[in-house]
Amino acid sequence: MVAANRARNQRLAAARRAEAQARAEEAIRMFQGQVMPEFRPPAGKLWGVNVKALMVTGPGGGIGTSAAMARVLAPLAAGGRHDETEVAAATGCRDVTDLRERLTGIAGKLAAIGLRVDRRKVGIRIAKAKPTLPTPQAS
């Protein structure tokens, strides 16, 4: 009985992992379809944000974003690490948790243009993404 339950739980966990992997691959394809490769960041910068055009640009091109997200990313475009509480206060976020949720929400778009959010104790910054695209599964 215990072995049967364990096997069933392992099958369910594997099915959940496969479903999550499929969702992640679909999200990557969706965001990659939105990337405009002809847009590049400002000269000498890894990335940039144009608040008026609602565009974030990175090594992989540009991608559109909302006005709220452009306002959150604008202070981070200055380069270097930034204190989360200061960024949250400057961008109109309720608190640091709200800022983290917003940055987590845009992580997929940032990844599509070759960027990632780098959070450490000393502060947050936008950094170049590590190449970690999913590899096709052997059948």
Side-chain angles (χ1 to χ4, degrees):
M1 184 72 164
V2 172
N5 283 339
R6 184 176 299 139
R8 180 178 176 269
N9 288 340
Q10 288 175 345
R11 282 193 311 273
L12 288 173
R16 283 189 208 111
R17 281 192 302 274
E19 184 180 333
Q21 178 72 19
R23 266 195 318 267
E25 289 174 2
E26 182 59 32
I28 288 169
R29 278 193 293 280
M30 181 189 69
F31 286 134
Q32 286 175 339
Q34 295 177 6
V35 172
M36 295 168 269
E38 60 274 4
F39 288 93
R40 293 287 173 205
K45 298 256 186 186
L46 174 64
W47 72 285
V49 61
N50 187 329
V51 177
K52 290 182 181 177
L54 302 178
M55 173 81 62
V56 180
T57 55
I63 194 164
T65 189
S66 68
M69 283 315 304
R71 285 192 305 271
V72 168
L73 293 172
L76 300 175
R81 292 198 179 271
H82 303 273
D83 183 48
E84 287 179 309
T85 55
E86 292 175 7
V87 174
T91 58
C93 295
R94 290 186 306 270
D95 53 15
V96 172
T97 304
D98 185 36
L99 173 68
R100 288 178 182 169
E101 288 174 0
R102 290 181 187 203
L103 292 174
T104 300
I106 197 169
K109 282 189 174 187
L110 292 176
I113 58 172
L115 300 171
R116 66 184 171 91
V117 177
D118 184 23
R119 268 189 26 223
R120 308 275 172 132
K121 285 185 180 180
V122 293
I124 58 173
R125 69 182 178 128
I126 304 296
K128 190 173 184 178
K130 298 172 184 165
T132 56
L133 290 178
T135 56
Q137 299 293 324
S139 7

